[in-house]
Amino acid sequence: MSSKVIHALYKDDDLLMQAVKQTREAKYHIEEVYTPFPVHGLDKAMGLAPTRLAITSFLYGCVGLTVAITMMNYIMIEDWPQDIGGKPSFSYIENMPAFVPIMFELTVFFAAHLMVITFFMRSKLWPFKQAENPDVRTTDDHFLMEVDTTGHNVEELSKFLSNTGAVEVSLIDKHN
């Protein structure tokens, strides 16, 4: 299945932000925006929902903390209790102050590593994946806004995008 989209190229991030706002006000659907660097506020201007990655990070930290507590209880209390520095190893609660650094480190370790994996999976960044960048100039100094043409007059949409400050507007047949 293929659909037609319009690629509008901009040379300035402030101009892009204004164009995104004008395009949304005109009720056109923005498929994607490609930028050479993160543009502050672009996600809000595009109307994207807030990310839920912070929730997953918290859950991964809880998993790490649980693994740390379970591991230390089994290793240091149940399996092979040792008298280290005169500290009794008969209960987890008595030894918990000594275990705090391990709990902290495993919480951070699990949150960080599982977040990287989650980010790559969510972004569909697999090893050896081909780049999906539609124009190589967006990796250097241009900004590209991809607008869906479904149900709209292509000439009118192209003229609208040119009036928003686009330096180049082109119709592209996008294959899904």
Side-chain angles (χ1 to χ4, degrees), residues 3-10 31-34 132-135 137-138 143-149 157-158 161-162 166-174:
S3 61
K4 296 201 183 279
V5 294
I6 290 185
H7 287 176
L9 274 169
Y10 299 89
E31 288 284 327
E32 188 65 72
V33 175
Y34 299 90
E132 294 179 5
N133 197 356
D135 193 328
R137 293 176 286 182
T138 61
F143 303 85
L144 186 137
M145 180 169 48
E146 188 176 276
V147 182
D148 186 23
T149 61
L157 180 56
S158 296
L161 291 171
S162 293
V167 293
E168 183 181 317
V169 176
S170 54
L171 181 65
I172 305 293
D173 191 21
K174 184 176 179 181

Side-chain angles (χ1 to χ4, degrees), residues 14-61:
D14 293 328
L15 196 59
L16 172 75
M17 284 291 288
Q18 286 302 106
V20 166
K21 290 174 185 174
Q22 291 172 4
T23 305
R24 288 209 6 115
E25 286 172 5
K27 305 290 187 218
Y28 293 118
H29 177 67
I30 300 172
E31 288 284 327
E32 188 65 72
V33 175
Y34 299 90
T35 64
F37 55 82
V39 178
H40 180 70
L42 185 60
D43 53 342
K44 286 189 179 46
M46 288 179 63
L48 299 176
T51 181
R52 295 182 304 265
L53 285 176
I55 297 168
T56 60
S57 179
F58 175 75
L59 294 175
Y60 294 153

Side-chain angles (χ1 to χ4, degrees), residues 51-53 116-126:
T51 181
R52 295 182 304 265
L53 285 176
V116 168
I117 293 168
T118 301
F119 174 76
F120 284 141
M121 288 174 57
R122 183 70 180 101
S123 301
K124 297 178 184 151
L125 293 173
W126 313 114

Side-chain angles (χ1 to χ4, degrees), residues 75-96:
I75 293 171
M76 299 299 290
I77 306 303
E78 294 176 16
D79 185 40
W80 196 325
Q82 297 179 15
D83 186 3
I84 301 172
K87 295 179 182 174
S89 296
F90 304 120
S91 76
Y92 182 82
I93 298 298
E94 290 177 3
N95 290 303
M96 194 158 60

